[in-house]
Amino acid sequence: MLNQKEINIVKSTAPVLEENGVLLTKHFYQKLFKNNPEVIPLFNKANMNKGTQPEALAGAICAYAKNIDNLEALGEAVKLISHKHFSLKVKPEHYPIVGSNLLESIKDVLGEAATDEIVNAWSKAYFFLADILIDAEKKLAESKNSFDGFKKFKISKVVKESENIKSFYLKPLDEILPEFKSGQYITIRVPYAGMTTMRNYSLSSFGNNDYLRISVKREDSRIDEPRGYVSNYLHENVSVYDEVEIGAPAGVFTLKERKSRSDVVFLAGGIGVTPLLAMLQEAHRSKNKFSSINFVHANQNENLQAFRDDIDKMVLENEHLTAEYFYDSLNREKKKNEYIGYINENYLSKFNKKSIFYICGSKVFMSSVIKQLRNLGVSEDNINFEFFGPLESI
């Protein structure tokens, strides 16, 4: 534990670190990868190149410094980080490596302002948090049917869901399927440039006893970023009977337990449908837990949309379930449950403000939807979201 003097030092340096946060974390990652190249496979190269990973780390460091005397306020963030670290196989031995490079970076960036007293206080703060995360990650590995490291799964089926989305059905070679909650993700590890690289993919199916399913959007190159390596690798190189390495399910974006029946609204943008589809399948099987189930899926067009037939089938089977669809454009006359354009505040106002909202999609999609829900007076406790990328402000 930190003493009060050390807590005061960490809190007092928060504004300085906030001002220099991104500079500090960019310097840190350069130092880390130079000094310890063995940790490079733990990081998403695309997020590093875009700068979102350094930004996310800077935000996390500042949040920790500001709340060092009130760690309960960081409970959800610690839970999310521990799940992410567990999924990427961050080990206890990695924490001292990160810690030494981070403390050296603080010295380099802050210069004379980084006194021995300040560096010592931050060292103690860092390793205090590291112990919390190590303990949390150990418990995740010990949960029922979970596993540490990677296991080999066989591809039992590949299904083309849309113009750019394929589903991969995965069966464990040892026939022991890990338990998971709807909304969680797994990690895929594939060969890359003489080593390996990893990506998290949401499990897009729930309630099956003999396979896991992920549904992967092929990320083509764009002006602002190159094509996605792992998504294209899976689309182009992986087929039925191939084996892939899988990390155990993880993630905190799951259906909340409710003491009473409630209304639930799922808002999906494009490939963000994957965790929400698994949640919808669970909700569909638990009809008595929800007063109403509302599923909304926004897409550019029908050719890029996945799983509409699956969703519409559940609607026919469940009188409490409705589904509506938004498109940028349609090449036919729209149906009564279809809209042309974007989800807007006027549309969202029809839902009960006390509904539980689950949102997943691009950063632009989620920023817009979450802002509109807040404008409508929806409680922060009822707004739940998953973002495919480093933790950052939405």
Side-chain angles (χ1 to χ4, degrees):
M1 292 289 292
L2 280 74
N3 60 41
Q4 190 58 51
K5 182 178 180 181
E6 291 163 339
I7 289 172
N8 291 341
I9 290 172
V10 171
K11 284 181 71 70
S12 69
T13 56
V16 179
L17 289 176
E18 190 165 24
E19 182 179 348
N20 298 277
V22 176
L23 175 64
L24 168 65
T25 53
K26 285 184 176 180
H27 183 80
F28 156 72
Y29 281 118
Q30 290 173 356
K31 183 180 287 289
L32 175 66
F33 295 156
K34 179 181 179 181
N35 293 341
N36 301 94
E38 69 273 17
V39 304
I40 291 176
L42 298 175
F43 295 87
N44 185 318
K45 184 178 180 181
N47 290 331
M48 293 301 306
N49 291 339
K50 288 187 291 186
T52 51
Q53 185 67 45
E55 289 173 9
L57 178 60
I61 290 172
C62 292
Y64 180 49
K66 291 177 180 177
N67 292 280
I68 190 70
D69 56 348
N70 180 28
L71 292 182
E72 289 184 6
L74 298 175
E76 286 303 309
V78 168
K79 188 176 178 182
L80 187 151
I81 292 169
S82 63
H83 275 258
K84 182 65 73 172
H85 283 184
F86 170 71
S87 76
L88 296 174
K89 310 309 165 195
V90 174
K91 302 294 185 184
E93 57 265 29
H94 292 135
Y95 283 92
I97 293 172
V98 170
S100 63
N101 284 283
L102 181 60
L103 293 170
E104 286 181 20
S105 297
I106 289 175
K107 292 179 183 178
D108 293 343
V109 173
L110 299 188
E112 294 181 359
T115 63
D116 289 343
E117 193 174 46
I118 288 175
V119 172
N120 289 337
W122 265 99
S123 175
K124 193 168 180 180
Y126 170 82
F127 286 103
F128 175 69
L129 178 60
D131 287 341
I132 294 174
L133 292 171
I134 289 170
D135 183 61
E137 290 149 25
K138 180 182 177 182
K139 289 177 180 176
L140 288 174
E142 293 171 347
S143 59
K144 186 176 180 181
N145 284 353
S146 185
F147 53 91
D148 202 6
F150 288 86
K151 279 176 57 172
K152 286 191 175 182
F153 280 62
K154 180 176 68 177
I155 304 292
S156 64
K157 185 165 63 171
V158 179
V159 176
K160 187 175 177 63
E161 306 286 3
S162 76
E163 191 176 284
N164 61 354
I165 296 172
K166 283 185 179 180
S167 285
F168 298 86
Y169 290 69
L170 309 161
K171 290 192 174 184
L173 296 187
D174 63 6
E175 299 184 351
I176 301 175
L177 196 72
E179 291 187 354
F180 68 95
K181 297 178 180 179
S182 62
Q184 290 191 308
Y185 54 81
I186 59 173
T187 304
I188 300 284
R189 184 168 72 175
V190 301
Y192 173 72
M195 51 181 125
T196 60
T197 188
M198 298 175 284
R199 295 293 182 274
N200 298 137
Y201 289 105
S202 296
L203 292 161
S204 61
S205 182
F206 183 80
N208 308 293
N209 297 320
D210 62 347
Y211 67 83
L212 301 176
R213 186 181 77 176
I214 59 172
S215 302
V216 179
K217 175 187 174 186
R218 185 186 66 247
E219 297 291 350
D220 296 320
S221 59
R222 299 187 309 210
I223 295 175
D224 56 339
E225 58 185 75
R227 73 201 299 254
Y229 174 79
V230 178
S231 68
N232 279 276
Y233 178 90
L234 293 173
H235 272 252
E236 297 169 3
N237 298 291
V238 175
S239 55
V240 175
Y241 304 124
D242 286 343
E243 294 179 3
V244 292
E245 292 185 312
I246 303 295
V252 299
F253 181 62
T254 59
L255 274 181
K256 289 183 175 180
E257 290 289 332
R258 308 294 298 180
K259 294 181 180 179
S260 58
R261 295 180 71 193
S262 59
D263 299 313
V264 62
V265 182
F266 299 105
L267 297 161
I271 191 59
V273 70
T274 51
L276 299 184
L277 179 63
M279 289 184 180
L280 175 63
Q281 290 170 338
E282 181 180 0
H284 175 56
R285 290 179 172 87
S286 309
K287 299 176 184 178
N288 295 330
K289 290 185 178 181
F290 302 97
S291 302
S292 70
I293 305 169
N294 307 275
F295 200 90
V296 185
H297 192 192
N299 288 273
Q300 291 181 32
N301 55 59
E302 288 185 292
N303 293 334
L304 299 178
Q305 182 177 18
F307 306 117
R308 174 156 181 172
D309 289 345
D310 296 340
I311 296 165
D312 286 343
K313 184 175 182 293
M314 284 186 273
V315 170
L316 292 175
E317 298 170 348
N318 190 337
E319 62 181 342
H320 300 293
L321 170 60
T322 64
E324 295 183 307
Y325 305 100
F326 281 75
Y327 300 98
D328 291 358
S329 62
L330 273 178
N331 293 322
R332 57 167 175 78
E333 188 174 338
K334 65 183 180 68
K335 300 175 183 178
K336 65 178 182 179
N337 67 335
E338 296 176 337
Y339 300 82
I340 305 298
Y342 301 122
I343 296 172
N344 55 47
E345 203 167 305
N346 182 59
Y347 171 79
L348 292 172
S349 67
K350 74 176 186 176
F351 297 115
N352 181 350
K353 287 196 300 184
K354 294 184 179 180
S355 299
I356 313 301
F357 293 87
Y358 295 90
I359 308 147
C360 189
S362 68
K363 183 177 180 180
V364 172
F365 172 84
M366 294 204 307
S367 295
S368 173
V369 170
I370 292 171
K371 180 180 179 181
Q372 291 164 15
L373 291 175
R374 288 169 175 162
N375 290 342
L376 290 168
V378 177
S379 166
E380 290 292 330
D381 290 339
N382 289 349
I383 299 176
N384 308 277
F385 60 88
E386 177 76 292
F387 179 58
F388 294 141
L391 182 62
E392 41 187 314
S393 298
I394 297 296

